[in-house]
């Protein structure tokens, strides 16, 4: 959203109800919906969908980041997502 005008830069339709808030981590926005989808968008003035994944059940809460891990809970599971470490 433009802070001066209050107008949105872009809108993304998740095609399902959203119960949690979006989380911004670095230059990415993460948001989940009732269909179990997590959308990852670029945090920029131009809309760019980076990716989507399905968590197999409704995501009713806000994704949370802590110590390099993204935690996402669906209706019956908690996922801890991090970068793959190589040796």
């Amino acid at each position: 959203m433009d802070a001066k005008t209050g107008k949105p830069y872009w809108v993304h339709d998740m095609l399902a109800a959203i119960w949690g808030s979006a989380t911004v981590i670095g230059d990415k926005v993460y948001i989940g919906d009732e269909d179990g989808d997590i959308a990852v968008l670029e945090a920029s003035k131009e809309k760019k969908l980076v990716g989507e994944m399905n968590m197999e059940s409704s995501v009713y809460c806000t994704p949370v980041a802590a110590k390099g891990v993204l935690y996402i809970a669906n209706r019956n599971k908690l996922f801890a997502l991090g970068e793959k470490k190589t040796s």
Side-chain angles (χ1 to χ4, degrees):
M1 179 178 299
D2 186 306
K4 291 181 182 177
T5 67
K7 293 182 181 179
Y9 288 120
W10 49 263
V11 175
H12 180 71
D13 188 352
M14 294 287 290
L15 304 175
I18 297 170
W19 294 88
S21 298
T23 296
V24 178
I25 305 167
D27 64 347
K28 303 289 186 285
V29 178
Y30 299 81
I31 190 158
D33 70 20
E34 194 170 46
D35 285 346
D37 295 321
I38 297 289
V40 182
L41 298 117
E42 223 174 70
S44 66
K45 292 181 181 181
E46 300 293 323
K47 179 180 169 183
K48 181 176 179 187
L49 180 64
V50 176
E52 289 182 301
M53 63 188 110
N54 187 274
M55 306 308 286
E56 301 174 354
S57 186
S58 299
V59 176
Y60 292 120
C61 62
T62 301
V64 175
K67 298 184 180 182
V69 178
L70 180 62
Y71 296 93
I72 300 172
N74 68 10
R75 248 177 7 142
N76 56 350
K77 294 179 186 172
L78 173 64
F79 295 87
L81 309 170
E83 290 186 37
K84 184 176 180 179
K85 295 182 180 182
T86 56
S87 304

